[in-house]
Structures are given as C-alpha cells and as structure tokens.
Amino acid sequence: DGGITQSPKYLFRKEGQNVTLSCEQNLNHDAMYWYRQDPGQGLRLIYYSQIVNDFQKGDIAEGYSVSREKKESFPLTVTSAQKNPTAFYLCASSMQARGTGELFFGEGSRLTVL
Amino acid sequence: AQKITQTQPGMFVQEKEAVTLDCTYDTSDQSYGLFWYKQPSSGEMIFLIYQGSYDEQNATEGRYSLNFQKARKSANLVISASQLGDSAMYFCAMREGQDEIGSQGNLIFGKGTKLSVKP
C-alpha cells in the first residue's frame, strides 16, 4: 500500500547525542515536510523540501538538519544543539508544493531525551 | 499574531448529536486553502476536508462539512451524528499562496480542539 513510513516509532536518547529519524514515502510525491508537535500544541514546521537535493528551513529549524538525496526519503537529524528535543515528530508529503493537495502524514516518531 | 486560532481547547458532545469546532484564520493572501485534520490517540494525522478560498460552496465530506465564512475569516468544522470513534484532537490548518509559484506548500496549524463523544 502507498503511504509514508516513519521509523522508529519510539526513540530514547541521552543528552548530547544526535539521532536520525527516518521518513520514506512511496506516493511519488515531490514535496516532503517535517513537523514537530508538543503536548497541547499544534504542529510546527521544521524543514521542508520541494524537490530532490533542495530543502528549506521552516519556523523552528535550529538544532535540526535534513537531507533529500532521493525523492522517496527525507531523514531528519536531531542534533545535540537542539535544546529541548523531546517531542512527537511527524513527516508528511504532498503531490506538489502548491495547489489543493492535502498533506499525507506518517504515524510519527516519539523522541524522549533522558 | 496567530494565523490559525482554535478557541476551544476541549469540547464534549453526546453521541448522535452534531458538533461545531471553531476555527478562525488570518491571512492577507487572496488565494489560500483551509484544511481540517483529525488526530486520534495513535498520533496519525487524518485528512478530513478541504475548502479553497475561491470555492463558493461549503465543502462537505460525508458527516463532515465546513462552514466557510470568508468575510469573517472563519472555517468551522461541523460533524453531524457524532460517533464514539470521533473522539480525537481536531486541527484546523491553512496553506497560504495556494496557487502561487514559490508557495512553500506547508500547512500552518492551529493548536487543536480535543473532542470527546459521550455515549
């Protein structure tokens, strides 16, 4: 079935460690996004990519990095520079970066820093 | 200023009754899109309904309808005949510059409303 796969679903990290969250889609979508969700809050945009080998910072990019080497993949690295990384991370994709198309979301990755 | 405002942190509704979840938005763009998503406790975001700024009729999808009042910049979600499975967080979202080249394409989300359906 077509969709977006995020892994791992749960991740624990010690302070000072980098961690990479995987996001893979087989929907042939051009655009991909990473959002962060904190309890009681909406989703905030971390990074987005409209085409391969190109990506842009969102509203809260500090302490995060991404790559887009393949159309299907958009991994997110949470670096040790991210001061409060414990959160729920959602990856999404859409057919194109404009128009009426909705975002399709993965099931999310919950990161806890110990 | 917040672009998407959902003023109801939590709502209760009796099973089989209708409920309206409020959403107001703020944009200076002429072209934009409004979306509603449902997030069950599992965490996945489920797309419910879309309304374009130029659409003259309110969008409907099954039991979901969007009450779009452009002059008031409001896009309320109406769920008819509530079911126990409707208990979840509901998010209103907006895409600005809907038809413009260079649009980021991302959605701007409100903080959500937690809906609880009582049996």
Side-chain angles (χ1 to χ4, degrees), chain B residues 10-21 63 78-88 90 113-119:
Chain B
M11 289 278 287
F12 287 91
V13 64
Q14 200 69 39
E15 192 179 8
K16 299 181 185 176
E17 291 186 350
V19 63
T20 298
L21 307 183
R63 294 187 299 112
V78 180
I79 305 175
S80 63
S82 297
Q83 302 172 355
L84 295 178
D86 293 336
S87 294
Y90 288 81
T113 295
K114 184 174 183 179
L115 177 66
S116 300
V117 181
K118 298 187 288 186

Side-chain angles (χ1 to χ4, degrees), chain A residues 3-114:
Chain A
I4 299 179
T5 301
Q6 288 187 241
S7 63
K9 193 163 186 174
Y10 298 95
L11 187 61
F12 297 89
R13 184 193 101 176
K14 292 182 180 179
E15 281 193 29
Q17 290 180 335
N18 291 357
V19 62
T20 297
L21 307 181
S22 169
C23 178
E24 303 278 331
Q25 55 102 353
N26 60 5
L27 300 167
N28 200 32
H29 284 172
D30 292 313
M32 296 187 74
Y33 312 84
W34 273 106
Y35 284 89
R36 169 181 170 141
Q37 185 178 23
D38 294 285
Q41 301 293 318
L43 280 64
R44 292 183 290 166
L45 182 67
I46 305 173
Y47 269 98
Y48 67 100
S49 168
Q50 297 183 355
I51 55 172
V52 175
N53 292 324
D54 186 53
F55 48 84
Q56 308 295 329
K57 291 182 179 180
D59 301 319
I60 55 166
E62 185 176 350
Y64 299 97
S65 66
V66 293
S67 63
R68 186 89 186 275
E69 297 176 1
K70 298 185 300 181
K71 188 175 184 177
E72 309 79 48
S73 178
F74 192 41
L76 174 74
T77 296
V78 185
T79 75
S80 55
Q82 170 49 236
K83 298 203 183 319
N84 186 17
T86 294
F88 187 55
Y89 292 89
L90 284 157
C91 179
S93 70
S94 64
M95 180 66 72
Q96 56 188 10
R98 57 191 174 96
T100 62
E102 73 270 24
L103 265 57
F104 290 80
F105 284 86
E107 294 187 344
S109 293
R110 192 169 299 278
L111 173 63
T112 303
V113 174
L114 304 173

Side-chain angles (χ1 to χ4, degrees), chain B residues 59-83:
Chain B
T60 60
E61 288 287 348
R63 294 187 299 112
Y64 304 108
S65 60
L66 200 151
N67 184 1
F68 181 45
Q69 298 188 40
K70 195 169 182 177
R72 297 179 61 184
K73 292 190 174 179
S74 102
N76 299 339
L77 177 71
V78 180
I79 305 175
S80 63
S82 297
Q83 302 172 355

